[in-house]
């Protein structure tokens, strides 16, 4: 069973560190498409919306996959199963990550579509950067993605960058954090209530 976790990155951070407050990223909205994610807590209470500018010029196949899954409603109800303070928030396991069900396997699944070949680029992982989660195989990204809560340049050239946060930094940083002793696993996690695509 594969585990789409950024394990090398987490180990590089260490545990128990105190993280400084990161300033909201200032990314311009590009040609899109944009992914708009409405976030709710485990009880279904609205926590706000984040908007991601997807970088089709940098990772066309991965962006096409995200758009296809969002437009099919596959991301609706999927939890943020792994959130590490000072690092990133990970979601997108449409197979095992549906809110209200058994999410104990969240982080090990994908979609019913094939894995994608890596589309590495020169875009650096900074606060608000959106990357595709994968296993140790660089060509194993499928549906899971993560959004950086702080610069993570040690991921550069190793994970496919698919977008940048352009709105909702306060909402993103308020997503419920996981247990650092459990590699960021979240109990009663927040989830993506509704995911839409806007041009």
């Amino acid at each position: 069973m594969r585990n789409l976790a950024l394990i090398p990155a987490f180990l590089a951070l260490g545990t128990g560190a105190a993280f400084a407050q990161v300033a909201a990223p200032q990314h311009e909205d590009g040609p899109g498409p944009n992914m708009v994610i409405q976030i709710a807590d485990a009880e279904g209470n609205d926590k706000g919306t984040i908007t991601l500018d997807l970088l089709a010029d940098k990772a066309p196949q991965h962006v096409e996959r995200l758009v296809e899954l969002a437009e099919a409603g596959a991301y609706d109800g999927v939890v943020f199963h792994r959130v590490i303070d000072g690092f990133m928030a990970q979601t997108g396991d449409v197979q095992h990550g549906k809110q209200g069900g058994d999410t104990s396997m969240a982080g090990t699944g994908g979609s019913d579509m094939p894995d994608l070949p890596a589309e590495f680029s020169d875009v650096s992982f900074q606060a608000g950067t959106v990357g595709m989660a994968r296993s140790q195989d660089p060509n194993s990204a499928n549906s899971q993605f993560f959004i950086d809560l702080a610069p993570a340049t040690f991921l550069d050239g190793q994970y496919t960058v698919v977008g940048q946060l352009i709105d909702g930094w306060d909402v993103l940083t308020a997503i419920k954090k996981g247990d650092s002793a459990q590699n960021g696993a979240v109990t009663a996690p927040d989830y993506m209530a509704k995911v839409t695509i806007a041009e």
Side-chain angles (χ1 to χ4, degrees):
M1 182 70 64
R2 64 183 181 169
N3 187 4
L4 301 182
L6 308 174
I7 294 173
F10 178 56
L11 293 177
L13 283 173
T15 57
F19 298 106
Q21 186 68 27
V22 177
Q26 301 296 318
H27 294 292
E28 294 294 323
D29 187 5
N34 290 345
M35 178 182 277
V36 181
I37 304 172
Q38 181 183 349
I39 298 174
D41 66 17
E43 289 75 42
N45 300 306
D46 182 38
K47 294 188 72 172
T49 300
I50 63 175
T51 303
L52 310 176
D53 180 36
L54 300 180
L55 305 178
D57 59 329
K58 299 292 185 182
Q61 293 180 73
H62 289 77
V63 168
E64 182 180 2
R65 172 67 54 83
L66 294 182
V67 169
E68 185 175 354
L69 289 170
E71 290 181 336
Y75 283 135
D76 295 351
V78 174
V79 300
F80 284 88
H81 64 272
R82 184 167 177 259
V83 185
I84 299 175
D85 194 20
F87 181 21
M88 58 92 224
Q90 186 172 333
T91 185
D93 187 343
V94 302
Q95 182 178 8
H96 300 302
K98 289 290 187 173
Q99 195 270 346
D102 178 8
T103 58
S104 62
M105 296 287 289
T108 63
S111 70
D112 57 4
M113 291 180 272
D115 290 347
L116 295 165
E119 294 179 296
F120 299 150
S121 69
D122 59 355
V123 179
S124 181
F125 282 91
Q126 300 293 325
T129 301
V130 186
M132 294 297 290
R134 63 169 179 80
S135 67
Q136 289 188 350
D137 178 359
N139 302 311
S140 61
N142 189 293
S143 66
Q144 293 188 50
F145 60 93
F146 61 92
I147 310 169
D148 282 326
L149 302 174
T153 56
F154 46 84
L155 301 177
D156 290 0
Q158 300 181 61
Y159 292 83
T160 297
V161 173
V162 290
Q164 301 282 0
L165 179 85
I166 55 172
D167 189 53
W169 177 249
D170 57 332
V171 177
L172 175 67
T173 56
I175 290 174
K176 186 177 180 182
K177 307 301 186 292
D179 182 352
S180 60
Q182 298 295 321
N183 202 18
V186 187
T187 302
D190 293 346
Y191 67 97
M192 298 187 289
K194 184 69 178 174
V195 182
T196 55
I197 300 296
E199 296 300 329

